[in-house]
């Protein structure tokens, strides 16, 4: 007595799914390893993997092949770096407008661009800071004497560095809000500043300034939002504009410093061009992004400049106080 297996019924709606799974299994089985992504194993039809985005390329077998890949990476794959810098320098507001329009793959992300340029800029600023000194001049001949003194009172005969700092900071007493907590910090910071003649204070300020400027951008964007209330704009639009414009300032100041180093005689002309180009760049970027008239944009630029000055002074004061208390 023989028995036969009952027929298996498949719902009509499941037939396309089953066929797709079977086709995918057959395609994976017949795809040669050379056409698979080395990173995730998915089939690759073009130059880049559609699953993970890695470029399909043969393994590196020689130094010449490695050099070719490195050259291509610097000149082609990272061409958006040069495209971004060119647009940043010579097309005010263009990168912001492109980002808001959704055309973003051709350019570097704005936050990454800002962070990288700010790090390079403040490294250059820190490297260029020389030791703070006051030179005593000979009153009769007008020539600098050999002695170089500090901006603080020199030590008395037989006085140690600790005794000198205690003497100079004896009357540095904080009297204000949170006195019980802040007074010891102020006294300690004063002694340290006197001991190293302000070097630690300068280093702490330059270390905290990039962070303060990054926190400074949302404040500027808030002020811009008040000026562009009608027609309505999103807060991120204003923030993005300031991110790009500050990145532009970092690049143009670094280039100006390079010109001053290579052509010392042209320093005056470089400063003159900066004084003209940077305000025009800000004005033009506002017109490109917001599309308002010349005089209205110019008036808003003047208001923005005043707000920028006041908030900048506040930022520097708070950064200085924070750097001093954290010594």
């Amino acid at each position: 007595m023989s028995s036969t297996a009952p027929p298996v019924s498949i719902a009509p709606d499941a037939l396309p799914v089953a066929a797709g799974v079977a086709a995918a299994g057959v395609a994976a089985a017949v795809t040669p390893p050379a056409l698979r992504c080395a990173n995730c194993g998915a089939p690759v039809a073009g130059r880049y993997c559609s699953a993970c985005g890695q470029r399909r390329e043969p393994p590196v077998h020689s130094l010449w092949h490695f050099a070719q890949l490195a050259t291509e990476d610097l000149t082609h794959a990272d061409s958006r770096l040069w495209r971004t810098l060119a647009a940043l320098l010579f097309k005010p507001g263009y990168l912001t407008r492109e980002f808001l329009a959704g055309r973003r793959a051709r350019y570097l992300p704005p936050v990454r661009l800002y962070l990288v340029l700010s790090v390079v800029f403040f490294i250059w600023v820190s490297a260029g800071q020389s030791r703070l000194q006051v030179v005593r001049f000979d009153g009769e001949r007008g020539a600098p004497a050999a002695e170089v003194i500090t901006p603080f009172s020199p030590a008395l005969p037989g006085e140690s560095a600790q005794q000198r700092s205690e003497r100079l900071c004896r009357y540095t007493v904080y009297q204000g809000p949170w006195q019980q907590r802040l007074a010891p910090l102020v006294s300690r910071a004063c002694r340290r500043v006197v001991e190293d003649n302000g070097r630690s204070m300068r280093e702490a300020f330059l270390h905290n300034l990039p962070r303060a400027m990054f926190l400074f951008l949302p404040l500027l964007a808030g002020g811009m939002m008040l000026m562009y209330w009608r027609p309505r704009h999103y807060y991120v639009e204003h923030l993005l504009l300031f991110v790009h414009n500050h990145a532009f300032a970092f690049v143009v100041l670094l280039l100006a410093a390079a010109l001053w180093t290579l052509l010392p005689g042209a320093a005056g002309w470089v400063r003159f061009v900066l004084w003209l180009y940077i305000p025009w760049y800000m004005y033009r970027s506002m017109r490109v992004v917001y599309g308002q008239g010349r005089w209205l944009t110019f008036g808003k630029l003047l208001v923005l400049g005043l707000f920028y000055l006041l908030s900048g002074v506040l930022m520097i004061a708070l950064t200085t106080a924070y750097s001093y208390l954290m010594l």
Side-chain angles (χ1 to χ4, degrees), residues 289-310:
V289 173
Y290 301 111
Q292 294 187 341
R294 291 184 177 89
W295 290 108
L296 182 59
T297 303
F298 182 74
K300 291 184 177 182
L301 178 63
L302 294 179
V303 176
L304 177 64
L306 178 60
F307 179 72
Y308 198 103
L309 177 63
L310 295 177

Side-chain angles (χ1 to χ4, degrees), residues 269-300:
W269 285 104
V270 173
R271 294 190 186 95
F272 177 74
V273 171
L274 288 180
W275 278 104
L276 293 180
Y277 188 59
I278 292 179
W280 176 85
Y281 187 98
M282 294 290 297
Y283 162 80
R284 182 60 187 168
S285 66
M286 293 169 64
R287 284 212 66 198
V288 168
V289 173
Y290 301 111
Q292 294 187 341
R294 291 184 177 89
W295 290 108
L296 182 59
T297 303
F298 182 74
K300 291 184 177 182

Side-chain angles (χ1 to χ4, degrees), residues 59 86 97 126 136 151 191 210 218 229 280 284-285 314:
R97 188 177 62 184
S126 301
R136 181 174 62 83
R191 291 194 298 269
W229 188 258
W280 176 85
R284 182 60 187 168
S285 66
L314 177 62

Side-chain angles (χ1 to χ4, degrees), residues 243-257:
V243 167
H244 280 138
N245 284 356
H246 277 75
F248 155 77
F250 293 145
V251 174
V252 76
L253 291 176
L254 287 171
L255 293 177

Side-chain angles (χ1 to χ4, degrees), residues 100-120:
L100 295 176
R103 296 182 288 268
R104 306 170 185 178
R106 290 168 53 86
Y107 309 102
L108 293 178
V111 175
R112 184 191 306 173
L113 176 69
Y114 173 88
L115 292 177
V116 171
L117 291 177
S118 66
V119 168
V120 175

